[in-house]
Amino acid sequence: MKKTTVSVFFSALLIFGNSLVIADESADDGVTEVSAGVELFRWQEFDRAGTRLLTEQGPRARLSFSHNNEGRLTSGLLYRMDASVYGGVVDYDGQTQRLGHFAAASVDYLGATTELTGGYRLVNYKWGRSLDLLAGVGLDRWSRDIGNGASSQGARVIGYEEIFDIAFTRFSLGMEKRADIWRSLWRAGIKYPVYTNETIDAFSLELKPGKRPSLFFSYRFQLIDRTGDEGVYVKFLYDSYRFAKSDVVSMFEQPKSHMDVMSFSIGREF
């Protein structure tokens, strides 16, 4: 992603985040959270007829940090600022792009993402639940380093590295339920990439995967101690991307691609 694009995007994130906090001086104090988890990752690519060309799948690790006021007890503005790093080695099972021969290899993923979410909480004590209306923006950058392998014809297949830069938006609904010693929070919505860029330095290529909406869902369960402070929590998350094929550049294209991630994490609030 070009430096100017990144600078403008981060400036927008900071301005938006500060405005959320300042706009509601009565908002509950924010908290900081740290979590670690494991995710089951799958990346698939398809040709123009819809036939699957390859699958990459396996476990990855993720470390996340957050500052938010999602524990507020009154109606009002919500904010959440997230940052995480992730990575892992997964299995590659598919075809070589030019010759279409079956090949097996390993793929090393390493990435980082940052995201800002804002919205409004409607508290209804009669139901014992609160309804959250949310929108967010984020940046996601990862390297996809495909290792050397061998084709079904016995030929050596040389790997290469791709760098993906994605700017995205989220729109979601959420609901919180509280009891004396626990609280639960779920969210579901639509994710849409507003900027996509794929760089392959080995071939001097820059591709633009097409933009498609995808779905996400999360559920969080957290304990509350006798003093009313919230502590350890567990979280399940399903997240995804959907990309249409890119335009052809120098006889190369990024095929239609699907990313699906299911993760389980354990965290603590401070």
Side-chain angles (χ1 to χ4, degrees):
M1 186 180 292
K2 298 184 185 302
K3 291 183 178 179
T4 54
T5 304
V6 174
S7 299
V8 171
F9 198 86
F10 269 113
S11 298
L13 285 177
L14 291 173
I15 293 171
F16 182 50
N18 290 335
S19 66
L20 283 174
V21 178
I22 295 172
D24 187 7
E25 295 180 354
S26 64
D28 293 19
D29 291 337
V31 297
T32 298
E33 298 173 348
V34 179
S35 66
V38 61
E39 55 188 34
L40 180 60
F41 167 86
R42 183 175 67 180
W43 174 275
Q44 299 179 95
E45 296 181 0
F46 304 86
D47 66 15
R48 301 186 184 197
T51 302
R52 186 170 60 194
L53 299 172
L54 66 85
T55 298
E56 299 169 6
Q57 58 186 354
R60 304 192 309 188
R62 182 179 292 262
L63 180 64
S64 301
F65 305 87
S66 172
H67 185 75
N68 65 81
N69 72 336
E70 292 179 333
R72 70 174 301 155
L73 302 174
T74 59
S75 297
L77 291 178
L78 290 176
Y79 69 88
R80 182 177 183 91
M81 294 173 281
D82 291 283
S84 63
V85 292
Y86 57 88
V89 179
V90 302
D91 294 328
Y92 176 103
D93 184 4
Q95 302 179 25
T96 58
Q97 188 173 98
R98 290 201 171 216
L99 300 177
H101 296 157
F102 170 82
S106 61
V107 186
D108 192 349
Y109 277 89
L110 181 63
T113 182
T114 182
E115 186 170 357
L116 176 65
T117 302
Y120 197 86
R121 171 163 289 174
L122 298 170
V123 175
N124 188 322
Y125 291 103
K126 182 177 179 181
W127 291 350
R129 293 179 173 87
S130 60
L131 177 66
D132 298 339
L133 309 173
L134 303 158
V137 291
L139 288 171
D140 199 357
R141 178 182 174 90
W142 71 83
S143 66
R144 179 187 178 213
D145 191 353
I146 304 172
N148 297 334
S151 74
S152 57
Q153 308 300 308
R156 188 184 182 202
V157 177
I158 303 300
Y160 58 92
E161 183 182 19
E162 302 173 340
I163 303 294
F164 283 79
D165 290 291
I166 310 296
F168 62 89
T169 59
R170 291 188 199 263
F171 301 94
S172 61
L173 294 175
M175 185 167 286
E176 183 194 53
K177 170 68 176 179
R178 284 181 177 265
D180 291 337
I181 61 172
W182 59 267
R183 63 182 283 247
S184 64
L185 177 68
W186 67 260
R187 287 179 174 171
I190 295 174
K191 183 179 183 181
Y192 185 78
V194 295
Y195 174 88
T196 63
N197 189 76
E198 177 186 354
T199 304
I200 309 175
D201 288 335
F203 305 137
S204 300
L205 289 176
E206 193 168 284
L207 305 174
K208 304 289 185 182
K211 308 174 186 70
R212 293 291 184 269
S214 61
L215 302 176
F216 67 92
F217 171 83
S218 68
Y219 177 80
R220 167 176 168 148
F221 181 85
Q222 185 166 10
L223 297 175
I224 302 174
D225 64 26
R226 294 180 180 179
T227 65
D229 292 332
E230 299 167 5
V232 176
Y233 64 87
V234 295
K235 182 176 180 180
F236 169 80
L237 171 68
Y238 166 75
D239 205 355
S240 63
Y241 282 114
R242 295 293 183 266
F243 301 115
K245 72 175 186 66
S246 70
D247 292 335
V248 177
V249 178
S250 301
M251 299 180 64
F252 284 86
E253 69 176 13
Q254 174 60 38
K256 182 175 73 171
S257 307
H258 292 179
M259 179 191 288
D260 296 280
V261 178
M262 291 187 292
S263 67
F264 178 80
S265 59
I266 299 176
R268 182 167 181 82
E269 181 178 292
F270 300 95

